PDB file of all heavy atoms in Angstrom:
ATOM      1  N   GLY A 213      -6.389   0.038 -14.358  1.00 56.00           N
ATOM      2  CA  GLY A 213      -5.643   0.815 -13.369  1.00 56.00           C
ATOM      3  C   GLY A 213      -4.268   0.186 -13.177  1.00 56.00           C
ATOM      4  O   GLY A 213      -3.840  -0.719 -13.980  1.00 56.00           O
ATOM      5  N   ILE A 214      -3.489   0.700 -12.264  1.00 70.00           N
ATOM      6  CA  ILE A 214      -2.133   0.260 -12.038  1.00 70.00           C
ATOM      7  C   ILE A 214      -2.148  -0.055 -10.572  1.00 70.00           C
ATOM      8  O   ILE A 214      -1.849   0.748  -9.699  1.00 70.00           O
ATOM      9  CB  ILE A 214      -1.175   1.365 -12.307  1.00 70.00           C
ATOM     10  CG1 ILE A 214      -1.264   1.744 -13.837  1.00 70.00           C
ATOM     11  CG2 ILE A 214       0.289   0.795 -11.978  1.00 70.00           C
ATOM     12  CD1 ILE A 214      -0.178   2.811 -14.153  1.00 70.00           C
ATOM     13  N   PRO A 215      -2.290  -1.383 -10.264  1.00 78.00           N
ATOM     14  CA  PRO A 215      -2.263  -1.876  -8.876  1.00 78.00           C
ATOM     15  C   PRO A 215      -0.995  -1.748  -8.182  1.00 78.00           C
ATOM     16  O   PRO A 215       0.120  -1.923  -8.712  1.00 78.00           O
ATOM     17  CB  PRO A 215      -2.706  -3.412  -8.972  1.00 78.00           C
ATOM     18  CG  PRO A 215      -3.249  -3.494 -10.400  1.00 78.00           C
ATOM     19  CD  PRO A 215      -2.438  -2.544 -11.141  1.00 78.00           C
ATOM     20  N   LEU A 216      -1.015  -1.583  -6.753  1.00 85.00           N
ATOM     21  CA  LEU A 216       0.055  -1.461  -5.909  1.00 85.00           C
ATOM     22  C   LEU A 216      -0.168  -2.622  -5.071  1.00 85.00           C
ATOM     23  O   LEU A 216      -1.179  -2.859  -4.499  1.00 85.00           O
ATOM     24  CB  LEU A 216       0.174  -0.172  -5.171  1.00 85.00           C
ATOM     25  CG  LEU A 216       0.327   1.082  -5.917  1.00 85.00           C
ATOM     26  CD1 LEU A 216       0.273   2.263  -5.082  1.00 85.00           C
ATOM     27  CD2 LEU A 216       1.678   1.120  -6.648  1.00 85.00           C
ATOM     28  N   GLY A 217       0.873  -3.495  -4.702  1.00 89.00           N
ATOM     29  CA  GLY A 217       0.802  -4.568  -3.868  1.00 89.00           C
ATOM     30  C   GLY A 217       1.861  -4.565  -2.834  1.00 89.00           C
ATOM     31  O   GLY A 217       2.971  -4.063  -2.934  1.00 89.00           O
ATOM     32  N   LEU A 218       1.619  -5.232  -1.652  1.00 94.00           N
ATOM     33  CA  LEU A 218       2.511  -5.355  -0.615  1.00 94.00           C
ATOM     34  C   LEU A 218       2.527  -6.799  -0.035  1.00 94.00           C
ATOM     35  O   LEU A 218       1.376  -7.317   0.174  1.00 94.00           O
ATOM     36  CB  LEU A 218       2.290  -4.339   0.525  1.00 94.00           C
ATOM     37  CG  LEU A 218       3.270  -4.258   1.668  1.00 94.00           C
ATOM     38  CD1 LEU A 218       4.581  -3.634   1.197  1.00 94.00           C
ATOM     39  CD2 LEU A 218       2.605  -3.292   2.723  1.00 94.00           C
ATOM     40  N   MET A 219       3.626  -7.375   0.172  1.00 95.00           N
ATOM     41  CA  MET A 219       3.732  -8.680   0.794  1.00 95.00           C
ATOM     42  C   MET A 219       4.675  -8.551   2.032  1.00 95.00           C
ATOM     43  O   MET A 219       5.773  -8.124   1.866  1.00 95.00           O
ATOM     44  CB  MET A 219       4.185  -9.663  -0.192  1.00 95.00           C
ATOM     45  CG  MET A 219       3.352  -9.753  -1.472  1.00 95.00           C
ATOM     46  SD  MET A 219       3.837 -10.932  -2.694  1.00 95.00           S
ATOM     47  CE  MET A 219       3.482 -12.570  -2.040  1.00 95.00           C
ATOM     48  N   VAL A 220       4.290  -9.104   3.172  1.00 97.00           N
ATOM     49  CA  VAL A 220       5.094  -9.021   4.356  1.00 97.00           C
ATOM     50  C   VAL A 220       5.093 -10.312   5.120  1.00 97.00           C
ATOM     51  O   VAL A 220       4.011 -10.924   5.271  1.00 97.00           O
ATOM     52  CB  VAL A 220       4.536  -7.874   5.373  1.00 97.00           C
ATOM     53  CG1 VAL A 220       5.321  -7.799   6.674  1.00 97.00           C
ATOM     54  CG2 VAL A 220       4.324  -6.552   4.705  1.00 97.00           C
ATOM     55  N   LYS A 221       6.409 -10.800   5.423  1.00 97.00           N
ATOM     56  CA  LYS A 221       6.460 -12.046   6.111  1.00 97.00           C
ATOM     57  C   LYS A 221       5.517 -12.090   7.327  1.00 97.00           C
ATOM     58  O   LYS A 221       5.386 -11.171   8.052  1.00 97.00           O
ATOM     59  CB  LYS A 221       7.862 -12.182   6.579  1.00 97.00           C
ATOM     60  CG  LYS A 221       8.898 -12.577   5.512  1.00 97.00           C
ATOM     61  CD  LYS A 221       8.696 -14.171   5.286  1.00 97.00           C
ATOM     62  CE  LYS A 221       9.767 -14.829   4.369  1.00 97.00           C
ATOM     63  NZ  LYS A 221      11.059 -14.835   4.898  1.00 97.00           N
ATOM     64  N   LYS A 222       4.934 -13.225   7.522  1.00 97.00           N
ATOM     65  CA  LYS A 222       3.920 -13.405   8.539  1.00 97.00           C
ATOM     66  C   LYS A 222       4.480 -13.112   9.972  1.00 97.00           C
ATOM     67  O   LYS A 222       3.678 -12.894  10.858  1.00 97.00           O
ATOM     68  CB  LYS A 222       3.255 -14.804   8.542  1.00 97.00           C
ATOM     69  CG  LYS A 222       2.312 -14.845   7.258  1.00 97.00           C
ATOM     70  CD  LYS A 222       1.797 -16.292   7.186  1.00 97.00           C
ATOM     71  CE  LYS A 222       0.803 -16.332   5.891  1.00 97.00           C
ATOM     72  NZ  LYS A 222       0.013 -17.708   5.849  1.00 97.00           N
ATOM     73  N   GLU A 223       5.804 -13.358  10.132  1.00 96.00           N
ATOM     74  CA  GLU A 223       6.296 -13.130  11.462  1.00 96.00           C
ATOM     75  C   GLU A 223       6.598 -11.632  11.912  1.00 96.00           C
ATOM     76  O   GLU A 223       6.660 -11.449  13.005  1.00 96.00           O
ATOM     77  CB  GLU A 223       7.601 -13.862  11.721  1.00 96.00           C
ATOM     78  CG  GLU A 223       8.683 -13.638  10.654  1.00 96.00           C
ATOM     79  CD  GLU A 223       8.652 -14.623   9.522  1.00 96.00           C
ATOM     80  OE1 GLU A 223       7.664 -15.110   9.118  1.00 96.00           O
ATOM     81  OE2 GLU A 223       9.761 -14.808   9.001  1.00 96.00           O
ATOM     82  N   LEU A 224       6.461 -10.772  10.862  1.00 97.00           N
ATOM     83  CA  LEU A 224       6.602  -9.278  11.118  1.00 97.00           C
ATOM     84  C   LEU A 224       5.225  -8.845  11.550  1.00 97.00           C
ATOM     85  O   LEU A 224       4.113  -9.298  11.264  1.00 97.00           O
ATOM     86  CB  LEU A 224       6.991  -8.654   9.878  1.00 97.00           C
ATOM     87  CG  LEU A 224       8.646  -8.472   9.781  1.00 97.00           C
ATOM     88  CD1 LEU A 224       9.147  -9.893   9.418  1.00 97.00           C
ATOM     89  CD2 LEU A 224       8.900  -7.499   8.669  1.00 97.00           C
ATOM     90  N   GLN A 225       5.247  -7.837  12.294  1.00 97.00           N
ATOM     91  CA  GLN A 225       3.940  -7.059  12.841  1.00 97.00           C
ATOM     92  C   GLN A 225       3.741  -5.963  11.991  1.00 97.00           C
ATOM     93  O   GLN A 225       4.609  -4.974  11.655  1.00 97.00           O
ATOM     94  CB  GLN A 225       4.243  -6.594  14.218  1.00 97.00           C
ATOM     95  CG  GLN A 225       2.987  -5.906  14.755  1.00 97.00           C
ATOM     96  CD  GLN A 225       3.162  -5.197  16.140  1.00 97.00           C
ATOM     97  OE1 GLN A 225       4.293  -5.268  16.693  1.00 97.00           O
ATOM     98  NE2 GLN A 225       2.154  -4.695  16.768  1.00 97.00           N
ATOM     99  N   VAL A 226       2.572  -6.013  11.343  1.00 97.00           N
ATOM    100  CA  VAL A 226       2.112  -4.980  10.445  1.00 97.00           C
ATOM    101  C   VAL A 226       1.027  -4.073  11.165  1.00 97.00           C
ATOM    102  O   VAL A 226       0.009  -4.512  11.479  1.00 97.00           O
ATOM    103  CB  VAL A 226       1.448  -5.403   9.160  1.00 97.00           C
ATOM    104  CG1 VAL A 226       1.025  -4.303   8.299  1.00 97.00           C
ATOM    105  CG2 VAL A 226       2.555  -6.353   8.316  1.00 97.00           C
ATOM    106  N   LYS A 227       1.458  -2.842  11.533  1.00 96.00           N
ATOM    107  CA  LYS A 227       0.512  -2.034  12.326  1.00 96.00           C
ATOM    108  C   LYS A 227      -0.523  -1.383  11.522  1.00 96.00           C
ATOM    109  O   LYS A 227      -1.633  -1.123  11.941  1.00 96.00           O
ATOM    110  CB  LYS A 227       1.440  -0.975  13.034  1.00 96.00           C
ATOM    111  CG  LYS A 227       2.419  -1.602  14.060  1.00 96.00           C
ATOM    112  CD  LYS A 227       3.188  -0.626  14.798  1.00 96.00           C
ATOM    113  CE  LYS A 227       4.106  -1.331  15.813  1.00 96.00           C
ATOM    114  NZ  LYS A 227       4.881  -0.302  16.671  1.00 96.00           N
ATOM    115  N   SER A 228      -0.064  -0.931  10.258  1.00 96.00           N
ATOM    116  CA  SER A 228      -1.182  -0.331   9.418  1.00 96.00           C
ATOM    117  C   SER A 228      -0.673  -0.388   8.012  1.00 96.00           C
ATOM    118  O   SER A 228       0.504  -0.473   7.721  1.00 96.00           O
ATOM    119  CB  SER A 228      -1.384   1.098   9.786  1.00 96.00           C
ATOM    120  OG  SER A 228      -0.161   1.928   9.704  1.00 96.00           O
ATOM    121  N   VAL A 229      -1.700  -0.435   7.077  1.00 95.00           N
ATOM    122  CA  VAL A 229      -1.262  -0.407   5.624  1.00 95.00           C
ATOM    123  C   VAL A 229      -2.457   0.470   4.984  1.00 95.00           C
ATOM    124  O   VAL A 229      -3.663   0.147   5.091  1.00 95.00           O
ATOM    125  CB  VAL A 229      -1.299  -1.822   4.885  1.00 95.00           C
ATOM    126  CG1 VAL A 229      -1.051  -1.685   3.448  1.00 95.00           C
ATOM    127  CG2 VAL A 229      -0.232  -2.627   5.605  1.00 95.00           C
ATOM    128  N   ASP A 230      -2.089   1.582   4.355  1.00 90.00           N
ATOM    129  CA  ASP A 230      -3.060   2.389   3.682  1.00 90.00           C
ATOM    130  C   ASP A 230      -2.675   2.766   2.318  1.00 90.00           C
ATOM    131  O   ASP A 230      -1.477   3.102   1.958  1.00 90.00           O
ATOM    132  CB  ASP A 230      -3.220   3.651   4.597  1.00 90.00           C
ATOM    133  CG  ASP A 230      -3.786   3.342   5.942  1.00 90.00           C
ATOM    134  OD1 ASP A 230      -4.878   2.829   6.156  1.00 90.00           O
ATOM    135  OD2 ASP A 230      -3.040   3.688   6.908  1.00 90.00           O
ATOM    136  N   LEU A 231      -3.745   2.912   1.433  1.00 85.00           N
ATOM    137  CA  LEU A 231      -3.490   3.539   0.075  1.00 85.00           C
ATOM    138  C   LEU A 231      -3.875   5.026   0.212  1.00 85.00           C
ATOM    139  O   LEU A 231      -4.891   5.382   0.575  1.00 85.00           O
ATOM    140  CB  LEU A 231      -4.475   2.864  -0.925  1.00 85.00           C
ATOM    141  CG  LEU A 231      -4.302   3.509  -2.389  1.00 85.00           C
ATOM    142  CD1 LEU A 231      -3.025   3.222  -3.015  1.00 85.00           C
ATOM    143  CD2 LEU A 231      -5.454   2.977  -3.171  1.00 85.00           C
ATOM    144  N   VAL A 232      -2.844   5.956   0.033  1.00 81.00           N
ATOM    145  CA  VAL A 232      -3.074   7.302   0.185  1.00 81.00           C
ATOM    146  C   VAL A 232      -3.325   8.015  -1.261  1.00 81.00           C
ATOM    147  O   VAL A 232      -2.659   7.755  -2.137  1.00 81.00           O
ATOM    148  CB  VAL A 232      -1.920   7.961   0.846  1.00 81.00           C
ATOM    149  CG1 VAL A 232      -2.007   9.535   1.010  1.00 81.00           C
ATOM    150  CG2 VAL A 232      -1.543   7.178   2.187  1.00 81.00           C
ATOM    151  N   GLU A 233      -4.421   8.857  -1.223  1.00 66.00           N
ATOM    152  CA  GLU A 233      -4.718   9.680  -2.357  1.00 66.00           C
ATOM    153  C   GLU A 233      -4.769   9.001  -3.662  1.00 66.00           C
ATOM    154  O   GLU A 233      -3.961   9.340  -4.609  1.00 66.00           O
ATOM    155  CB  GLU A 233      -3.678  10.948  -2.443  1.00 66.00           C
ATOM    156  CG  GLU A 233      -3.723  11.631  -1.161  1.00 66.00           C
ATOM    157  CD  GLU A 233      -2.609  12.713  -1.118  1.00 66.00           C
ATOM    158  OE1 GLU A 233      -1.697  12.712  -1.906  1.00 66.00           O
ATOM    159  OE2 GLU A 233      -2.561  13.552  -0.140  1.00 66.00           O
ATOM    160  N   PRO A 234      -5.476   7.971  -3.850  1.00 54.00           N
ATOM    161  CA  PRO A 234      -5.532   7.124  -5.193  1.00 54.00           C
ATOM    162  C   PRO A 234      -5.963   7.981  -6.332  1.00 54.00           C
ATOM    163  O   PRO A 234      -5.459   7.724  -7.432  1.00 54.00           O
ATOM    164  CB  PRO A 234      -6.546   6.176  -4.830  1.00 54.00           C
ATOM    165  CG  PRO A 234      -7.556   6.649  -3.699  1.00 54.00           C
ATOM    166  CD  PRO A 234      -6.511   7.526  -2.872  1.00 54.00           C
ATOM    167  N   ARG A 235      -6.662   9.152  -6.156  1.00 55.00           N
ATOM    168  CA  ARG A 235      -7.107   9.963  -7.330  1.00 55.00           C
ATOM    169  C   ARG A 235      -6.260  11.204  -7.471  1.00 55.00           C
ATOM    170  O   ARG A 235      -6.272  11.965  -8.416  1.00 55.00           O
ATOM    171  CB  ARG A 235      -8.586  10.304  -7.274  1.00 55.00           C
ATOM    172  CG  ARG A 235      -9.467   9.138  -7.265  1.00 55.00           C
ATOM    173  CD  ARG A 235     -10.934   9.626  -7.467  1.00 55.00           C
ATOM    174  NE  ARG A 235     -11.755   8.455  -7.609  1.00 55.00           N
ATOM    175  CZ  ARG A 235     -12.089   7.883  -8.791  1.00 55.00           C
ATOM    176  NH1 ARG A 235     -11.444   8.368  -9.892  1.00 55.00           N
ATOM    177  NH2 ARG A 235     -12.887   6.858  -8.872  1.00 55.00           N
ATOM    178  N   LEU A 236      -5.360  11.462  -6.571  1.00 53.00           N
ATOM    179  CA  LEU A 236      -4.564  12.728  -6.605  1.00 53.00           C
ATOM    180  C   LEU A 236      -3.060  12.451  -6.880  1.00 53.00           C
ATOM    181  O   LEU A 236      -2.394  13.299  -7.558  1.00 53.00           O
ATOM    182  CB  LEU A 236      -4.644  13.458  -5.242  1.00 53.00           C
ATOM    183  CG  LEU A 236      -6.031  13.850  -4.725  1.00 53.00           C
ATOM    184  CD1 LEU A 236      -5.922  14.592  -3.484  1.00 53.00           C
ATOM    185  CD2 LEU A 236      -6.652  14.803  -5.800  1.00 53.00           C
ATOM    186  N   PHE A 237      -2.575  11.238  -6.465  1.00 48.00           N
ATOM    187  CA  PHE A 237      -1.118  11.044  -6.700  1.00 48.00           C
ATOM    188  C   PHE A 237      -0.932  10.561  -8.123  1.00 48.00           C
ATOM    189  O   PHE A 237      -0.655   9.408  -8.330  1.00 48.00           O
ATOM    190  CB  PHE A 237      -0.691  10.007  -5.645  1.00 48.00           C
ATOM    191  CG  PHE A 237       0.863  10.077  -5.454  1.00 48.00           C
ATOM    192  CD1 PHE A 237       1.487  11.034  -4.733  1.00 48.00           C
ATOM    193  CD2 PHE A 237       1.625   9.152  -6.083  1.00 48.00           C
ATOM    194  CE1 PHE A 237       2.854  10.952  -4.533  1.00 48.00           C
ATOM    195  CE2 PHE A 237       2.995   9.045  -5.898  1.00 48.00           C
ATOM    196  CZ  PHE A 237       3.576  10.086  -5.120  1.00 48.00           C
ATOM    197  N   SER A 238      -1.281  11.467  -9.170  1.00 53.00           N
ATOM    198  CA  SER A 238      -1.189  11.080 -10.483  1.00 53.00           C
ATOM    199  C   SER A 238      -2.037   9.837 -10.763  1.00 53.00           C
ATOM    200  O   SER A 238      -1.773   8.953 -11.688  1.00 53.00           O
ATOM    201  CB  SER A 238       0.268  10.788 -10.940  1.00 53.00           C
ATOM    202  OG  SER A 238       0.214  10.512 -12.411  1.00 53.00           O
ATOM    203  N   SER A 239      -3.073   9.703  -9.998  1.00 58.00           N
ATOM    204  CA  SER A 239      -4.045   8.541 -10.156  1.00 58.00           C
ATOM    205  C   SER A 239      -3.429   7.210  -9.739  1.00 58.00           C
ATOM    206  O   SER A 239      -3.882   6.281 -10.205  1.00 58.00           O
ATOM    207  CB  SER A 239      -4.788   8.596 -11.500  1.00 58.00           C
ATOM    208  OG  SER A 239      -5.408   9.733 -11.708  1.00 58.00           O
ATOM    209  N   ARG A 240      -2.289   7.210  -9.272  1.00 69.00           N
ATOM    210  CA  ARG A 240      -1.547   5.976  -9.025  1.00 69.00           C
ATOM    211  C   ARG A 240      -1.612   5.554  -7.572  1.00 69.00           C
ATOM    212  O   ARG A 240      -1.313   4.409  -7.277  1.00 69.00           O
ATOM    213  CB  ARG A 240      -0.118   5.949  -9.663  1.00 69.00           C
ATOM    214  CG  ARG A 240      -0.092   6.089 -11.059  1.00 69.00           C
ATOM    215  CD  ARG A 240       1.238   5.808 -11.679  1.00 69.00           C
ATOM    216  NE  ARG A 240       1.172   5.959 -13.131  1.00 69.00           N
ATOM    217  CZ  ARG A 240       2.147   5.624 -13.948  1.00 69.00           C
ATOM    218  NH1 ARG A 240       3.112   4.875 -13.528  1.00 69.00           N
ATOM    219  NH2 ARG A 240       1.943   5.745 -15.352  1.00 69.00           N
TER     220      ARG A 240
END
């Protein structure tokens, strides 16, 4: 597959992280 990654500094607030439509968005 082709992984997507995200890294956020720990002092920032992350309210949500979602992978959207993995099989529809050209499978990416």
